[in-house]
Amino acid sequence: MKRYDYLIVGCGLFGAVVAYELSRNGKVCIAIDKRNHVGGNVYTECVNDIIVHKYGAHIFHTNNEHVWDYVNSFAEFNRYTNSPLANYKGKLYNLPFNMNTFYQMWGVTTPKEARMKIESQKTEATMNTPQNLEEQAISLVGKDIYKTLIKGYTEKQWGKKAVELPAFIIRRLPVRFTFDNNYFDDRYQGIPIGGYTPIIEKMLQKSDIVLDTDYFSDKKFWNSLADTVIYTGEIDRYFDYCYGVLGYRSLHFKTSILKNQSNFQGNAVVNYTDADTPYTRIIEHKHFEFGQQADTVITKEYPIAFQTGIDPYYPINDDKNNMLYKRYLQLAQQQENVYFGGRLAEYKYYNMDQVIECALKITQNYLSFN
Ligand code: FAD
Ligand code: UDP
């Protein structure tokens, strides 16, 4: 059997960047994935001539010029700017929270009026340092927006009460006192024309790839092929859940092709922020690339409970899970010739640009040591 310098477990973005960097530095790599395709959650496929983001909307955004130049060396990006709408019981609001939202919610037309409205809705608990997502949200945007656009969505998304969730989750979203519906504050943003899969394929071009293969089905065999392992799966699974199972939230995606309907919702992303609609958002994929096709493809995203054996999409980074992760991290640091990286192995709510940044940094370290 052929020998490799590196075995990479997981052909997602982290694994692919590492494989690319190692192989262009003369290392011989094999990359395996339990799914039947490369790309992990950034995987896109062509359905009825439309690029479909199979695992939910993926918009590339970053402030890191180096990372932006790096991804642009693999694909051309378009000028897409994410501006989702929120549908609350049939009424539409702009996101993220900005002057358009404040006008739609309260009829206020100036930043001063908007700030006064928010101030008047802060409770005593939210005046001090917010202790949870609910307090943080009310302190940022007031009670009305919290109840209409945040509480229902958040509790569906995470399967927990907003008071049980960490405050940082809602700070992902900008709050602006300008009429600006751009969901991100980052300097660079776009969608790779033709999707993410071609980028990943380019990154993995020089590596041997084995799909439909779970590393744990024969860990000993896979380890025997290479000197060093890069592991990008769930960290708790690697250690056979010896300290317990980390909390994750999972998703179910329901995709439909709508024949002879060229424009279903007029926007790539519409969030459903009430508690009763079982899905959190509907993606209409063609709008990521300004498509003019006769048909359209939509995906409804349903949050579901995680159990071992199904895909974990979101780490739940509350104090309890973070403590548990730290114990696994200590074990990970004791492993010889095994390195852990990416959203699942580092148990972090990473965006794509952060994954690339970490993968580049870590690869430089491997290369200087090996
Ligand atoms: P993954 O993509 O999860 O890849 C890990 C791979 O390892 C998977 O392919 C898995 O099958 C494989 N694997 C795991 N265990 C094993 C095993 N035992 N054996 C073999 N293979 C294994 N980021 C943004 O920047 N912008 C966005 O708009 C955005 N939207 C998102 C929307 C959703 C719904 C989700 C869930 C994430 C979103 N992200 C977004 C985050 C983005 O998906 C991640 O940052 C990125 O995909 C993480 O890459 P990764 O390689 O670490 O993990
Ligand atoms: N959120 C919300 N209402 C929305 C959109 C987001 O309450 O319409 C909250 C929710 O708690 C979500 C968090 O903001 O988990 C972060 O949103 P983001 O869009 O960054 O989530 P992701 O795209 O990672 O699922």
Side-chain angles (χ1 to χ4, degrees):
M1 189 76 193
K2 185 174 167 188
R3 286 278 314 162
Y4 297 88
D5 297 314
Y6 288 87
L7 164 70
I8 297 165
V9 180
C11 298
L13 187 58
F14 189 94
V17 170
V18 168
Y20 179 75
E21 291 301 315
L22 291 172
S23 45
R24 84 186 176 91
N25 281 283
K27 304 292 180 189
V28 186
C29 303
I30 179 167
I32 66 171
D33 205 294
K34 62 182 179 181
R35 290 180 176 167
N36 63 3
H37 58 73
V38 297
N41 290 339
V42 310
Y43 174 72
T44 50
E45 63 189 1
C46 195
V47 177
N48 278 35
D49 200 27
I50 294 168
I51 300 295
V52 167
H53 295 207
K54 183 159 180 182
Y55 302 98
H58 276 77
I59 300 107
F60 201 95
H61 56 100
T62 188
N63 259 326
N64 184 323
E65 191 177 354
H66 176 59
V67 167
W68 181 242
D69 289 344
Y70 187 78
V71 284
N72 276 269
S73 72
F74 294 95
E76 188 187 340
F77 279 67
N78 69 17
R79 59 152 188 89
Y80 178 82
T81 300
N82 199 30
S83 312
L85 288 158
N87 182 321
Y88 180 76
K89 301 188 178 178
K91 185 165 182 212
L92 293 177
Y93 297 86
N94 287 111
L95 291 173
F97 314 115
N98 74 84
M99 281 304 297
N100 289 310
T101 331
F102 305 144
Y103 173 68
Q104 288 148 353
M105 184 64 66
W106 299 310
V108 294
T109 54
T110 64
K112 188 175 171 193
E113 287 173 290
R115 282 186 199 276
M116 278 168 56
K117 199 80 194 169
I118 292 170
E119 277 305 311
S120 75
Q121 297 199 349
K122 285 187 181 176
T123 56
E124 218 172 286
T126 58
M127 302 279 188
N128 306 315
T129 310
Q131 296 301 311
N132 55 55
L133 196 153
E134 177 172 298
E135 289 181 11
Q136 177 70 84
I138 295 173
S139 88
L140 288 170
V141 291
K143 265 190 188 165
D144 291 342
I145 291 183
Y146 170 67
K147 282 190 192 151
T148 315
L149 303 181
I150 299 175
K151 187 174 171 22
Y153 185 101
T154 293
E155 296 186 347
K156 282 191 291 195
Q157 166 71 9
W158 296 98
K160 280 176 182 285
K161 294 272 164 218
V163 287
E164 294 164 9
L165 287 163
F168 86 87
I169 293 178
I170 198 66
R171 290 199 301 268
R172 284 171 62 85
L173 273 51
V175 177
R176 282 194 205 110
F177 292 87
T178 51
F179 292 90
D180 177 358
N181 298 327
N182 182 351
Y183 201 60
F184 304 113
D185 278 332
D186 288 339
R187 193 161 159 203
Y188 307 104
Q189 183 174 173
I191 299 279
I193 297 166
Y196 291 90
T197 303
I199 297 182
I200 301 289
E201 284 170 350
K202 278 189 196 162
M203 289 175 171
L204 290 169
Q205 212 165 31
K206 286 192 180 161
S207 302
D208 285 348
I209 299 169
V210 182
L211 297 175
D212 276 320
T213 300
D214 193 317
Y215 172 58
F216 297 105
S217 64
D218 199 347
K219 186 176 168 192
K220 217 169 152 190
F221 166 74
W222 293 108
N223 284 347
S224 75
L225 296 185
D227 302 332
T228 308
V229 178
I230 313 291
Y231 177 79
T232 75
E234 298 130 89
I235 190 166
D236 50 348
R237 186 170 181 215
Y238 184 91
F239 295 107
D240 210 14
Y241 310 105
C242 63
Y243 296 139
V245 180
L246 284 165
Y248 298 96
R249 191 70 172 150
S250 194
L251 295 171
H252 169 67
F253 298 98
K254 195 171 166 207
T255 296
S256 317
I257 300 168
L258 307 180
K259 285 266 179 203
N260 300 318
Q261 187 168 350
S262 64
N263 191 0
F264 170 73
Q265 63 183 14
N267 205 37
V269 184
V270 179
N271 292 358
Y272 285 77
T273 56
D274 64 291
D276 298 330
T277 305
Y279 42 86
T280 47
R281 42 193 175 191
I282 301 182
I283 311 302
E284 188 171 8
H285 301 268
K286 69 190 315 178
H287 297 307
F288 289 123
E289 297 197 35
F290 316 110
Q292 298 296 322
Q293 300 86 342
D295 306 331
T296 197
V297 180
I298 61 165
T299 300
K300 291 181 178 164
E301 195 173 310
Y302 297 79
I304 55 170
F306 171 74
Q307 60 202 41
T308 53
I310 68 169
D311 283 330
Y313 287 96
Y314 291 92
I316 303 179
N317 288 112
D318 57 17
D319 290 345
K320 184 172 151 251
N321 284 309
N322 286 344
M323 298 274 282
L324 185 54
Y325 165 69
K326 271 196 185 141
R327 297 183 70 196
Y328 282 118
L329 177 63
Q330 278 173 358
L331 286 185
Q333 284 164 343
Q334 288 160 20
Q335 299 297 300
E336 275 189 22
N337 301 325
V338 186
Y339 297 90
F340 296 75
R343 215 186 207 207
L344 300 172
E346 293 180 65
Y347 196 64
K348 295 214 169 61
Y349 195 172
Y350 278 152
N351 290 322
M352 290 180 278
D353 61 327
Q354 295 167 301
V355 166
I356 293 177
E357 201 176 326
C358 290
L360 290 175
K361 216 177 270 168
I362 290 173
T363 318
Q364 270 165 14
N365 290 344
Y366 305 145
L367 288 168
S368 53
F369 289 124
N370 298 300

